[in-house]
Amino acid sequence: MLSLQVKIMVRILVSLLLLIAIIFIGGCPALTEKKENNLPNSGLLALVNQTCGTRYYESNFPVDTRLFEHPWLVQFGYERELVVNYVFQGLLIHSKYVLTTVFVVQFQDFGQLKYARVGEHNTSTNTDCEKLSLLEETCAPLAQSILVDEVIVHPDYNMFAQINDIALVKLRVAAIVDGTAVAPICVNDDLNYQSSFLLVASWCGRRETGLSLVPKQYFMKPISPYECQRLMPRHSVSFANGMFCIVFDERHTNSTELAYEPNLRGGSGAPIYTVHDGNRILLVGLLSYGPRYPAKLHEPYVIIPVAPFYDWMTGVIEADREKHMYNTLI
């Protein structure tokens, strides 16, 4: 009879041969889809579906966002003594992966990061609905609260210099992606991409009023590194890997009422995005950090771009998929 070691080696060899045969006959799924997919960011899109960044609305960007306007926004739940508080956000880039900043995943004031709530819009209601007319309304499916399986911080993250401030949150089970209430955002992979048309979306607000019930949406504009450092004299701002600064656009800085002033308190991990080819939302960066509260309207926020980390993100997701495929074959 064959020894146990020999049996194990034979089994592994057979599994490897089977995997090679599958790739040879059917082609590597990710690479095949990447060649055939003409949508933006097809490399990452091949890992999710072919509807990233699709806009539900054709025009306008109201401050109080509408139902289905940001189906890629994910809110995080922190648990302590069976009490869960949902704050901060990330972006669904894959049915099992959410992109955010390191501050968000290491935040412990409310306990341990335990849940990711997908498909959320109005945090005050169980079922999110919006009126289409006096007699008609549309409603979204219930939000999905999914356990966090793993947190993957970028290996070169530096807390003191605030560089490489990016992390992936792996979900225990895949989110149910319907393309309307829940969908992945397109992720920029072009290191040279620039746009002056930028927005931010977040459940945010002043201490006096609390976090907004629905995500706020503000126009932002980029400023030069020199201007950013001048406006943040007490910070040594790093511009490594294309980090840049933004401030509120003038259309949001003329309010005479404090309650209506824009404020990004609670905005950590929020998306900085633009509209790309085919009226698609394209993720350009993440809100890394900003001025101490209460922030003045002219003070800048520091953004970490996603393009320099595109290969790292896709590498993590691909490696996990290949590991799962290998374990399934064995």
Side-chain angles (χ1 to χ4, degrees), residues 78-215:
Y78 302 81
E79 184 178 80
R80 173 178 288 155
E81 298 179 353
L82 302 180
V83 176
V84 180
N85 286 284
Y86 282 91
V87 291
F88 307 130
Q89 49 270 303
L91 291 308
L92 193 71
I93 61 171
H94 181 279
S95 60
K96 290 191 71 173
Y97 283 90
V98 179
L99 182 68
T100 189
T101 60
V102 179
F103 171 81
V104 171
V105 299
Q106 294 184 347
F107 181 78
Q108 294 185 345
D109 288 14
F110 295 144
Q112 181 183 0
L113 174 61
K114 192 165 184 179
Y115 296 97
R117 190 154 61 186
V118 181
E120 179 64 288
H121 177 64
N122 189 326
T123 58
S124 69
T125 60
N126 289 326
T127 302
D128 292 334
C129 297
E130 192 158 287
K131 283 191 174 295
L132 301 177
S133 65
L134 290 176
L135 301 176
E136 187 181 7
E137 68 176 6
T138 182
C139 296
L142 293 176
Q144 306 166 50
S145 292
I146 304 174
L147 283 168
V148 169
D149 187 56
E150 183 182 3
V151 169
I152 305 158
V153 173
H154 192 278
D156 296 325
Y157 168 65
N158 186 313
M159 179 180 66
F160 300 102
Q162 281 297 299
I163 58 175
N164 304 314
D165 180 22
I166 198 163
L168 285 169
V169 175
K170 181 183 176 183
L171 306 180
R172 184 73 55 86
V173 298
I176 299 173
V177 176
D178 61 15
T180 302
V182 178
I185 193 170
C186 298
V187 181
N188 178 42
D189 62 353
D190 183 357
L191 293 172
N192 298 315
Y193 183 83
Q194 292 184 347
S195 175
S196 58
F197 183 80
L198 297 175
L199 297 101
V200 62
S202 169
W203 288 277
C204 55
R206 310 186 64 87
R207 285 179 181 168
E208 298 86 350
T209 56
L211 298 182
S212 57
L213 298 181
V214 301

